[in-house]
Amino acid sequence: MNVEKFKNIFRTKNTKKGSYSIAVTAIVIAIIFVFNLIVGQLPESIRQIDISNTNIYDISSTSKKLIKKLDYDIKLYVLADKSKTDDRIKNFLNQYAAQSDKISMEWIDPVLHPSALTEYNTEENSIVVSCEKTDRQISVSFDDILVGSSSYYGTSSSATEFDGDGQLTSALNYVTSSKEYKAYYTTGHGETDLSSSVTNLMEKSRISAEVLNLLSATSIPDDCDLLILNGPTSDLTKDEINALNKYLKNGGNVLCLLAYTDKSMNQLYGLLEDYGMKVSDGYIADTERCYQGNYYYLVPNVSTSGDMASGMTSDSVLLVNSKGMTETDPVRDTITTQSFMTTSENAYAISEDSQKQGTYVLGAAASETITTENKDGDKEETESRLTVYGSSKLIDEEVTSAFSNLENLTLFMNSVTSGLDDADNISIASKSLEVTYNSIAHPGFFSILIIFIIPLALMIGGFIVWFRRRRR
């Protein structure tokens, strides 16, 4: 082949097109290369995009609110081999520390620095959250973040839940605050014990819980910041009601969740009526606001404000087999009662003898300003609070775990903390690492439109287009 023929090869139309394609490809590769270099210089927290199924790297509004209010510098000491730490933990720590310049993070390899475990009084694969100003610190284990797994060098493939946001924010709240609270939950009347989900959330808000048998206790303990009656199925005695009355009149805080029972509850219901909440006979069915046509699975109207609205975004609450209440005049003019959860107008109180239609209260709180004397004889004003829910199923683990989009626990925790001075609901539930499914609370025309009518219309339209083209 002579030189002229060789040159003619590169003068053809196809060769010119090929050269153009090569040039464009080279330019695109160069642009991508330069773009990656620029992106590589950005902070890691900006480069990371959360594409996880349940957005486990998202920082909740509760956490952002607490972080924004930080007055002191916070140090995160991560005692682990960074190269062997689960990527989910590393990614979340980067996102969390980037929320404020008051939060700094330092990785310490305990193999290279074994004295660090003694210095920070913790174990390997843990995060020490420390505040020098308050001289408080707390340790968070990787196993508390990746829940339901057995870890090895911080890695895990069998975890079912991710609790990074909840654990770190709880630790942050602990090291910046010194106030601790004590809650008691009653026993001896068929009550349901508080689930681990509830007690874990309470601990995140610095509230410890302990059982109390009102039958054997002569009085409610002096250190009781909150008394919880979780679904009693038999009535309280007159002496127990007197103890509750005395506790409330001294500025106490009571949270009562009602339950299904065929026994007379005159004593307990009488106390609630004194505070402006009269319990209706039977159980509530709502033909308008219910879950998938089950009238006893209520999806109530929720109207919260102030502390009770903290963290509430969708007001998606489910109550099962709930009692209903109607508002009545309290026994004292100093008592103020306000409902925050109701049925629709098409609800019924159904008993063996009757079905009474109306709007029923499913959640309400009564408060009263109490004037007391301290040890020095000076008068002080405190506020007593009685919060009542129509169903203990509000916090039943079978209900809350079955529906990931429910805000039952958020609402409950708001009730818990709103009656405690200087307490905020900073408890954040862990996020499931398992596949979640959407659920329809109360399907109506819109649901039928989305599920049936639109897909059917698309199928019919597609068939018509196909049939017309086939005839051409």
Side-chain angles (χ1 to χ4, degrees):
M1 180 182 294
N2 57 36
V3 175
E4 190 63 29
K5 288 184 178 181
F6 184 75
K7 289 181 179 181
N8 289 334
I9 294 176
F10 294 94
R11 293 172 182 168
T12 63
K13 186 176 181 180
N14 290 335
T15 303
K16 290 181 179 180
K17 287 183 178 180
S19 301
Y20 177 76
S21 299
I22 293 172
V24 171
T25 302
I27 292 172
V28 171
I29 293 174
I31 292 173
I32 294 174
F33 180 76
V34 173
F35 177 77
N36 285 333
L37 289 177
I38 295 173
V39 171
Q41 301 304 311
L42 295 175
E44 190 173 359
S45 59
I46 297 177
R47 301 199 309 266
Q48 294 167 347
I49 300 175
D50 189 358
I51 58 173
S52 59
N53 182 48
T54 53
N55 298 322
I56 62 175
Y57 305 129
D58 275 359
I59 309 299
S60 65
S61 58
T62 301
S63 295
K64 291 179 179 179
K65 181 180 177 181
L66 181 64
I67 293 171
K68 187 177 180 180
K69 291 164 55 178
L70 283 177
D71 295 324
Y72 311 133
D73 291 335
I74 303 298
K75 189 76 173 182
L76 306 181
Y77 298 99
V78 188
L79 286 93
D81 184 342
K82 188 175 182 179
S83 64
K84 296 179 179 178
T85 299
D86 192 290
D87 287 339
R88 291 168 291 189
I89 292 178
K90 289 191 292 186
N91 292 339
F92 184 80
L93 285 174
N94 289 329
Q95 295 282 357
Y96 200 89
Q99 296 299 309
S100 172
D101 56 6
K102 290 186 176 295
I103 302 177
S104 58
M105 182 170 58
E106 179 182 349
W107 285 81
I108 302 175
D109 190 336
V111 176
L112 300 178
H113 306 279
S115 61
L117 298 178
T118 304
E119 179 183 353
Y120 296 108
N121 190 27
T122 189
E123 298 179 350
E124 187 176 359
N125 297 326
S126 60
I127 306 159
V128 175
V129 183
S130 176
C131 178
E132 184 178 354
K133 190 71 175 180
T134 61
D135 194 27
R136 288 167 70 89
Q137 74 173 38
I138 190 171
S139 178
V140 178
S141 171
F142 285 2
D143 289 337
D144 292 330
I145 294 177
L146 286 171
V147 184
S149 65
S150 55
S151 62
Y152 178 72
Y153 286 114
T155 62
S156 172
S157 58
S158 59
T160 57
E161 295 178 342
F162 187 86
D163 198 19
D165 196 16
Q167 291 294 332
L168 284 185
T169 299
S170 175
L172 198 64
N173 185 47
Y174 173 83
V175 300
T176 56
S177 307
S178 58
K179 179 79 173 175
E180 303 288 333
Y181 303 92
K182 188 65 172 289
Y184 289 87
Y185 55 97
T186 62
T187 186
H189 309 88
E191 296 97 329
T192 302
D193 290 341
L194 298 179
S195 67
S196 58
S197 299
V198 172
T199 55
N200 287 341
L201 289 176
M202 292 173 67
E203 288 172 1
K204 289 177 180 179
S205 290
R206 296 174 283 118
I207 305 170
S208 60
E210 185 177 323
V211 66
L212 174 67
N213 191 327
L214 286 176
L215 290 170
S216 58
T218 56
S219 63
I220 295 172
D222 293 336
D223 64 346
C224 179
D225 296 304
L226 172 66
L227 183 67
I228 301 174
L229 291 81
N230 186 29
T233 55
S234 61
D235 204 4
L236 279 66
T237 66
K238 188 175 181 179
D239 289 338
E240 292 173 311
I241 293 297
N242 289 337
L244 283 178
N245 259 319
K246 183 179 179 181
Y247 175 65
L248 285 168
K249 288 179 180 179
N250 286 328
N253 185 14
V254 177
L255 178 53
C256 179
L257 299 97
L258 304 179
Y260 171 83
T261 178
D262 55 1
K263 298 180 180 179
S264 173
M265 303 289 284
N266 292 334
Q267 294 289 345
L268 178 58
Y269 291 174
L271 174 66
L272 303 186
E273 188 170 353
D274 286 346
Y275 280 82
M277 295 169 276
K278 184 176 181 179
V279 181
S280 303
D281 294 334
Y283 295 88
I284 303 302
D286 196 332
T287 59
E288 182 178 331
R289 296 193 63 85
C290 59
Y291 174 73
Q292 294 190 349
N294 191 328
Y295 299 149
Y296 291 95
Y297 280 56
L298 311 177
V299 183
N301 294 301
V302 180
S303 56
T304 55
S305 60
D307 293 338
M308 286 292 291
S310 177
M312 298 286 290
T313 55
S314 65
D315 290 338
S316 179
V317 175
L318 178 67
L319 289 183
V320 179
N321 297 334
S322 178
K323 301 288 289 183
M325 297 172 286
T326 55
E327 294 184 13
T328 186
D329 292 331
V331 71
R332 294 183 295 277
D333 293 337
T334 51
I335 298 174
T336 301
T337 305
Q338 185 174 5
S339 62
F340 55 84
M341 196 161 58
T342 60
T343 66
S344 72
E345 296 178 351
N346 296 317
Y348 295 82
I350 299 179
S351 63
E352 293 182 359
D353 302 323
S354 64
Q355 297 183 13
K356 188 175 180 181
Q357 183 179 359
T359 301
Y360 291 91
V361 176
L362 303 176
S367 60
E368 182 178 18
T369 301
I370 307 294
T371 303
T372 59
E373 288 188 3
N374 58 23
K375 296 179 180 179
D376 299 327
D378 297 328
K379 291 185 177 181
E380 294 181 346
E381 284 191 350
T382 58
E383 186 178 76
S384 69
R385 185 178 180 89
L386 172 60
T387 305
V388 182
Y389 286 96
S391 174
S392 60
K393 294 293 184 181
L394 174 82
I395 56 173
D396 190 287
E397 197 152 23
E398 290 185 1
V399 174
T400 57
S401 62
F403 302 91
S404 60
N405 58 333
L406 288 181
E407 292 190 308
N408 288 28
L409 292 177
T410 302
L411 182 61
F412 173 77
M413 284 304 304
N414 286 344
S415 301
V416 168
T417 57
S418 60
L420 304 177
D421 293 336
D422 302 322
D424 294 320
N425 180 12
I426 54 84
S427 54
I428 302 165
S430 56
K431 297 178 181 178
S432 174
L433 294 175
E434 299 176 348
V435 176
T436 57
Y437 301 93
N438 291 327
S439 57
I440 302 171
H442 39 281
F445 175 74
F446 183 76
S447 302
I448 295 174
L449 178 69
I450 295 295
I451 297 174
F452 298 107
I453 297 179
I454 292 179
L456 184 61
L458 291 174
M459 292 176 62
I460 294 174
F463 176 78
I464 292 174
V465 171
W466 169 81
F467 186 75
R468 287 178 175 177
R469 288 180 176 178
R470 184 173 180 273
R471 295 183 60 182
R472 290 176 182 175

